[in-house]
Amino acid sequence: MTRPTAIAVSGLTKNFGTTRALDGLDLTVRSGEVHGFLGPNGAGKTTTIRILLGLLRADGGRTRLLDGHPWHDATELHRRVAYVPGDVTLWPGLSGGEVIDLLGRLRGGIDPARKEELLEKFALDPRKKARSYSKGNRQKVGLIAALASEAELLVLDEPTSGLDPLMEETFRECVRRQQREGRTVLLSSHVLSEVEALCDRVTIVREGSTIESGSLSELRHLTRVSVSAELARVPTGLDELPGVHDLELDGTELRCEVDTPALDGLLRRLTEAGVRGLTSQPPSLEELFLRHYDHGPLDTSHRGAAR
Amino acid sequence: MNALHGTRDLVRLILRVDRVRLPAWMAGVTLFLLGSVASFPAAYDTAAERQARAALMDNPATVILTGPGYGREDYTYGAMVANEMGGMTAALVALMSVLLVVRHTRHEEERGRAELVRAAVVGRHAPLAAALLTVFAADVVLGLVLGLGLPVVLPELSVGGSLLFAAGLSAVGVVFAALAGVTAQLMEHGRAASGLAAALLAAAYALRGAGDLGDGTLSWLSPIGWAQRTRSYVDGRWWPLSLALVLTALLVVTAFLLRSRRDEGAGLVRGRPGRATAAPWLSGPFALALRLRRGPLTGWTVGFVLFGAFVGAIAEQAAEFAADNELAQRMLAQNGQAGSAETVLATYLGLMALVSTGFALQSVAALRAEETTGRLDPLLGGSPLSRGGWMLSNLAVTLVGSGTVLGSGGLSAGLVHATNSGEPWEAARLTLAALAHLPAVWVLAGLAAALFGVLPAAGGLGWLVLAGSVFVGMFGPLLRLPDWVADLSPFTHTPMLPTGDPHPVSLLALTAVAALLTTVGVLAFRRRDTA
Ligand SMILES: Nc1ncnc2c1ncn2[C@@H]1O[C@H](COP(=O)(O)OP(=O)(O)O)[C@@H](O)[C@H]1O
Ligand SMILES: [Mg+2]
């Protein structure tokens, strides 16, 4: 692990009046990785990102972006950083194509071939005036401008909000390609599955501080899967299996929650009883928080931080 | 299902949503008309003074701006109200009607809210019907308020004449409400729909202006012309208003027919597509600022060219009038010899400078809008553009732009005056005279920039200071305000050219203050969080 770090944040604090938005947040992003920045709404993701981009001043803590200081070296650093906000707003009188070119030129030029390719991939009509774009189309304009840039670090704040599922897939492809080209991506999200699909490592935040950080496999223990199955025979011995929770058995119909590492053991038992039908669902982020952190010390020690 | 089903509920919804906006519009129009009319006796106390005023109304520029001038031979207060206030007030009522109708039809549809409403068992035609009914009713109520209010503020006005005059205003409002109902079907965007209706309003105003200058035929093609042709207060007649009723009926039917022929959200005129790529010059913060200000800058410049032409055209006649009017003398006295055209021009150029500050403040306010809408974030956060670079580029456009606006007003006044007086150098002289006020405009722009940096939430204070400066400039001489109050306005310190002395020292001092305020603004913005 000697790769340089693209982002190093420790003990970051930020208050808005009496609201404590960040309360000692830590975040480390290594160069070349796609890093998931995960947390429920109001956790402080946007605030952290806006501090990293020099739009807000930190109240305390240490922040490094690439090899500079996010506030003092902002203009120098921004040659190497591209940013897509969670809610892209555009100048109503400019067309999407004009905005993409303009943002590209501010960074010193844009690769026209790459822009064309992205326009096609995202099926965006660049001639439309921004005032007639839907939320999803505005988001596409921001994404294309960022993805067509030569930036070495991409900061994406919940970038897929408003995109339809097809476009989300296109977006994922593009992010993977960026990674193959050696770029670093910080991707904030409140949707666990999106982060799982793309990210090498994940930082989970809540109420302004970091509660977990690591590779996805390290965080596997956090995830619990809902399983429901219809069986041929009534199964036995399920309640003594480790990692199986909230078991409901109604004749041959079964419903339970299972820790990811224990999934294998459960499925073995089920096949013994003959599986007629099976559905499993990954947990949503909200469920994850409910299960793992709600009774933890965090809940009582942080007041008034998040909505 | 009945296509009008739910209209009544929608009317209630509009009244609820616009419970402040609607009364505010009506109060604004009422204040404008009744306030102006109430001040007539102060300025034109005697029949002789009114008759002198009537002579001024003969000028072509004035005829275009006001009306046909019925009753100019015996210029009573009534003839004065109808001639000088009728056109402007009618245009104001029409503008109110246009904006309100488009707001509740096309704007609503554009935002997708109309679809929600229609899903909730509302007939296809109900939103249009509700908007038209509400605005028609607002026009009628406003007409009653004005018609009954006029004799109250100026008892010389007859009740019958006032009601006829106000009915003309209502009729113009109703016609343009119906017209907006049509443009809202044509255009895909609310802005385009109200823009088209407003352009037709301007055309209607110009048409009657041209008609009133000539033999009056063209005026009969304009709804505003119909209202003026009621000859209110002179020898009033109601029948021209029946033309407005017929046109309204035609427009309403057209609007509903068009509505049944188009899909929800679609317009009959497709929006012009924009450019697929940015023009080569659109690169960098200054070009972006210029591109974003281009529309307002063009609008203000055109407005000032017209304003200037008007000032240049009336200068000589206004000077003759002022020589006989005590109030006018008092207003002009500080700027030189009352009764000379130059004094009148100096006074008007000062007024122009005050008005042009509106452009400057509007431009600086756009900085805050860029910030709060979030458009600033990708610029400052995702490109090498610095805060100072962004702000200074925008302020440069503001400072140069306000010079363009003010200078074009001066040039236009100068060209017309040069033609009238046969002295070609007047054009250059008046342009420079207008530009001499620019440092004061810059001071207010600098103040707004400083507020943007230091106290962004208090950006409105700049407008307050402008309002104070207007007050001091317009009423200071009348109210005999103490000097120190007058000195608070930067416009007190600019020379009233072409008659006064050019005070180079105060111009330099004002420029320095503007530079200082701007610097404070930029430094503060570089240190603060962005919203
Ligand atoms: N400008 C602001 N003023 C006041 N409170 C804010 C501001 N921005 C964010 N907050 C608060 O800070 C907290 C974190 O917000 P944010 O960073 O937007 O969360 P996230 O992006 O994770 O949803 C929330 O409680 C939010 O209400
Ligand atoms: Mg956010």
Side-chain angles (χ1 to χ4, degrees), chain B residues 129 246 419:
Chain B
V246 173
T419 317

Side-chain angles (χ1 to χ4, degrees), chain A residues 88 90 94-101 103 114-146 148 162-164 167 170, chain B residues 275-277:
Chain A
V88 176
L90 304 170
L94 298 192
S95 71
E98 280 181 291
V99 173
I100 292 170
D101 284 351
L103 291 175
R114 188 161 184 150
K115 183 188 87 175
E116 282 311 317
E117 187 193 327
L118 285 163
L119 282 173
E120 198 156 312
K121 266 194 181 162
F122 281 102
L124 181 80
D125 176 2
R127 305 183 72 99
K128 268 200 175 177
K129 291 279 173 73
R131 77 165 59 86
S132 49
Y133 280 136
S134 64
K135 160 123 175 64
N137 279 335
R138 277 184 276 127
Q139 214 62 29
K140 287 181 193 173
V141 171
L143 281 170
I144 293 172
L163 291 189
D164 58 47
M167 287 302 147
T170 308
Chain B
R275 305 175 54 101
T277 55

Side-chain angles (χ1 to χ4, degrees), chain B residues 183-202:
Chain B
T183 62
Q185 310 311 313
L186 295 176
M187 310 310 262
E188 249 173 80
H189 296 291
R191 267 175 57 128
S194 38
L196 178 58
L200 289 169
L201 171 61

Side-chain angles (χ1 to χ4, degrees), chain A residues 14-22 37-50 56 157-158 188-190 205-208 304-307, chain B residues 529-531:
Chain A
K14 175 77 190 173
N15 300 316
F16 293 107
T18 54
T19 312
R20 195 158 182 83
L22 298 181
F37 192 30
L38 195 58
N41 290 322
K45 304 181 294 292
T46 300
T47 306
T48 308
I49 286 174
R50 298 187 79 231
L56 299 178
D157 190 3
E158 310 211 13
S188 102
S189 177
H190 69 274
V205 293
R206 196 181 61 158
E207 296 184 359
R307 264 183 284 180
Chain B
D529 287 351
T530 63

Side-chain angles (χ1 to χ4, degrees), chain A residues 268-289:
Chain A
R268 217 166 292 210
R269 278 294 167 87
L270 295 184
T271 36
E272 278 168 18
V275 179
R276 290 246 169 92
L278 180 79
T279 54
S280 72
Q281 246 178 357
S284 70
L285 187 66
E286 287 67 28
E287 286 173 308
L288 192 88
F289 279 110

Side-chain angles (χ1 to χ4, degrees), chain B residues 133-158:
Chain B
L133 280 176
T134 316
V135 178
F136 288 167
D139 287 330
V140 172
V141 171
L142 179 58
L144 281 173
V145 171
L146 296 177
L148 298 174
L150 280 166
V152 174
V153 296
L154 189 56
E156 281 88 344
L157 298 176
S158 72

